[in-house]
Amino acid sequence: MSVDFRDTITIAAPATVAGDIMKAVQDWPSWTASVSHVDRKATGPLTTGETVVVTQPKLRPGTWTVTRVDSNGFEWSSSSVPGVHNIGGHWAVDNGDGTCTAELTLSFAGPLARAVTVFYGSLIRRYIRMEAEGLRKAAEAVAGGE
């Protein structure tokens, strides 16, 4: 059984704009305070199998492996915390009117998932919301300048 967190936000920009911003993981600290540092060794487009180390305030750095990527977002997984396996999704879908809906998800599975989410649940929800709001602002700034 997993413990799942999810946030959605409507963005006044096409899904590809939001997707490009999400996939440029090395730039996250510039638009969300929920991420303080990203160590990405690769250059160019984000690719399946690539690993990225993400540092967030109040948390240990986590190593994430990209498991799926397309034009509108990506998914990655991590087992950086013993007894917990995470899957994070970052997707945007066009609404057909020049806007998109971004969906950010984070799932926790494993024998210690419940304990970790009880202890860190409010921080997790706050960070996902911060990411959603930051993404909206960044994508709308890009779309407004197009």
Side-chain angles (χ1 to χ4, degrees):
M1 185 165 128
S2 67
V3 181
D4 303 318
F5 296 86
R6 176 179 174 266
D7 201 339
T8 60
I9 192 164
T10 300
I11 300 173
T16 54
V17 170
D20 286 347
I21 290 168
M22 288 186 284
K23 291 182 296 183
V25 296
Q26 67 280 355
D27 297 334
W28 285 16
S30 71
W31 56 263
T32 180
S34 66
V35 176
S36 52
H37 182 74
V38 174
D39 184 12
R40 179 177 183 231
K41 303 291 186 214
T43 59
L46 195 65
T47 59
T48 301
E50 180 179 342
T51 60
V52 179
V53 178
V54 177
T55 304
Q56 297 181 269
K58 301 182 182 182
L59 299 173
R60 295 179 1 181
T63 300
W64 293 85
T65 301
V66 178
T67 56
R68 197 170 109 208
V69 62
D70 71 22
S71 61
N72 294 343
F74 74 99
E75 183 176 271
W76 57 9
S77 67
S78 176
S79 294
S80 295
V81 175
V84 178
H85 179 75
N86 296 107
I87 297 175
H90 307 80
W91 301 103
V93 177
D94 274 315
N95 294 329
D97 60 0
T99 69
C100 70
T101 299
E103 180 178 62
L104 308 174
T105 60
L106 184 60
S107 295
F108 289 73
L112 297 180
R114 175 57 91 194
V116 168
T117 58
V118 165
F119 189 73
Y120 286 103
S122 64
L123 182 66
I124 294 164
R125 281 187 285 282
R126 187 165 61 247
Y127 280 2
I128 291 174
R129 174 64 359 200
M130 287 169 73
E131 185 178 327
E133 288 292 342
L135 173 63
R136 182 187 58 75
K137 289 176 186 171
E140 290 178 354
V142 168
E146 288 184 332

